[in-house]
């Protein structure tokens, strides 16, 4: 089980003579800092949307009210490294590293803190659990970033999963096209395409992240026949406005990535300064639906605390009187619709 190497930029090089240099460095002793050269190159200025996502903020340490693991992922873990919350699908945490440690990460409690890659015994136990659970049809590789594992390790995991008859779908959740697009090599794509149906959900949060290199990485994956989805996290000061989200969603479609989810930020300790209200999220969705191609409209979901699962939210609920529904159109008009009576 081996990680790839990935060139990183030192925090000092980014901070220069920033007035809060020592406070910012102190944060990285609790919540690790890591920044790839390619993601650093997207920073245009201090406090821009890319900077905010990757440079530590002293407010991370002030947020002590919230829990490190509000989704109870640890207690929903039948064996280490596996989260089994829904009957038919599991999440496998195959890596605890990433090219960039995003400051808002839902797994802030663990990313960059576990030293070694998943050890062989842990992996074996997780695979055995999946083999012995006939209800599991869908396995999501997550972490950390699964593509931090080298090709050989990934090949081993994917081969083992493909040998399990009841696992029909394999998904990889990765931010690599954004954080270290060089990782998406022709060799990697050639290997992945042997394991279809394989889906990749990537993670773009801002139109500035859709760089030429990111776009080439997504093209390679799409050319390998891998359907690409995107999960965006709603982040205050980064993408919590309609114009930014519209631009992001349209850019994603132009690189063959289909928006899948907009996530309300989880209530994870150390991330409170990124939190937006649900009303803000609904405003964003209201600004998408009907105004842009339906292909560009993801589901807006809250992953409920306590591991209760994801719930999708809609901006305008229909009002019902008997069999008559009053629905709100994208322009805000109320329209009456007569339903059939069953
Ligand atoms: C999000 C998630 C999944 C996958 O959910 P989908 O809605 O099918 O994408 C599976 N397991 C856990 C624990 C999750 O958090
Ligand atoms: S790439 Fe994903 S797992 Fe890694 S720090 Fe960012 S959000 Fe967390």
């Amino acid at each position: 089980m081996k990680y790839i190497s990935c060139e990183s930029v030192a925090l000092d090089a980014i901070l220069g003579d920033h007035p809060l240099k020592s406070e910012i460095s102190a944060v990285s002793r609790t919540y690790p800092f890591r920044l790839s050269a390619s993601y650093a190159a997207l920073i245009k200025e201090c406090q821009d949307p890319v900077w905010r996502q990757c440079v530590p903020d002293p407010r991370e340490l002030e947020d002590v009210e919230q829990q490190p693991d509000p989704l109870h992922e640890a207690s929903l873990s039948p064996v280490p490294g596996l989260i089994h919350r829904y009957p038919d699908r599991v999440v496998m945490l195959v890596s605890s590293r990433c090219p960039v440690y995003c400051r808002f990460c839902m797994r802030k409690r663990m990313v960059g803190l576990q030293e070694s890659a998943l050890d062989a015994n842990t992996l074996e136990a997780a695979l055995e659990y999946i083999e012995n659970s006939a209800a599991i049809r869908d396995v999501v590789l997550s972490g950390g970033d699964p593509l931090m594992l080298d090709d050989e390790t990934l090949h081993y995991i994917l081969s083992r999963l493909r040998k399990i008859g009841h696992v029909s779908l394999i998904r990889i959740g990765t931010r690599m096209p954004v954080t270290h697009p060089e990782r998406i090599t022709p060799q990697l794509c050639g290997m992945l395409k042997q394991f279809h149906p394989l889906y990749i959900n990537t993670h773009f949060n801002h139109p500035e992240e859709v760089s030429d290199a990111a776009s080439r990485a997504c093209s390679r994956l799409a050319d390998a026949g891998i359907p690409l989805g995107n999960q965006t996290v709603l982040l205050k000061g980064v993408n919590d406005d309609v114009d930014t989200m519209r631009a992001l969603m349209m850019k994603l479609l132009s690189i063959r990535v289909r928006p899948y989810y907009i996530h309300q930020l989880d209530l994870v300790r150390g991330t409170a300064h990124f939190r937006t209200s649900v009303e803000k999220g609904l405003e964003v969705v209201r600004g998408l639906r009907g105004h842009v191609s339906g292909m560009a409209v993801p589901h807006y979901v809250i992953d409920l605390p306590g591991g209760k699962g994801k719930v999708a939210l809609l901006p305008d609920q229909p009002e019902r009187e008997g069999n008559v529904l009053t629905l709100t159109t994208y322009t805000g008009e109320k329209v009456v619709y007569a339903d059939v009576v069953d």
Side-chain angles (χ1 to χ4, degrees), residues 9 37 54 64 98 118 133 148 150 280 334:
V9 176
C54 63
V64 290
C98 310
L118 168 94
S133 311
M148 284 299 280
D150 70 356
K280 178 57 86 175
K334 304 269 184 197

Side-chain angles (χ1 to χ4, degrees), residues 26 67 112 126 136 188 211 220 233 238 243 247 273 321 326:
Q67 300 169 40
I136 297 174
L188 175 70
S211 63
R220 275 191 183 151
V233 182
V238 174
D243 289 343
H273 60 293
E321 257 192 76
T326 306

Side-chain angles (χ1 to χ4, degrees), residues 73 83 85-86 89-91 107 138 140 171 231 260-261 303 310:
E73 291 189 328
I83 310 165
R85 177 199 292 161
Y86 300 106
R89 52 211 193 275
V90 283
V91 173
R107 305 226 171 89
D138 176 0
V140 183
R171 298 194 242 177
Q231 311 199 165
Y260 177 45
Y261 281 147
D303 210 342
K310 295 181 183 69

Side-chain angles (χ1 to χ4, degrees), residues 23 76 81 95 106 116 137 156 192 213 239 283 328:
E23 287 88 339
L76 288 166
S95 148
M106 67 170 296
S116 61
R137 309 196 168 281
Y156 176 76
L192 293 176
N239 59 13
E283 182 190 311
T328 309

Side-chain angles (χ1 to χ4, degrees), residues 210-274:
V210 190
S211 63
D212 290 344
S215 155
R216 275 193 303 276
C218 291
S219 277
R220 275 191 183 151
L221 292 167
D223 286 346
I226 302 169
L228 299 175
N230 185 71
Q231 311 199 165
T232 293
V233 182
L234 188 61
L235 299 167
K236 189 176 190 168
V238 174
N239 59 13
D240 60 336
D241 65 277
V242 172
D243 289 343
T244 305
M245 282 293 200
R246 277 189 193 166
L248 173 62
M249 300 307 156
M250 292 311 290
K251 266 194 156 177
L252 288 172
L253 285 184
S254 77
I255 62 165
R256 288 186 282 169
V257 177
R258 171 80 158 89
Y260 177 45
Y261 281 147
I262 292 177
H263 290 271
Q264 174 72 5
L265 188 76
D266 296 318
L267 303 171
V268 170
R269 184 180 296 171
T271 64
H273 60 293
F274 285 114

Side-chain angles (χ1 to χ4, degrees), residues 31 59-61 63 66 103 108 268-273:
Y31 299 117
R59 287 175 291 180
E60 292 174 41
L61 296 179
D63 175 20
Q66 313 198 85
R103 308 321 297 174
K108 216 173 159 89
V268 170
R269 184 180 296 171
T271 64
H273 60 293

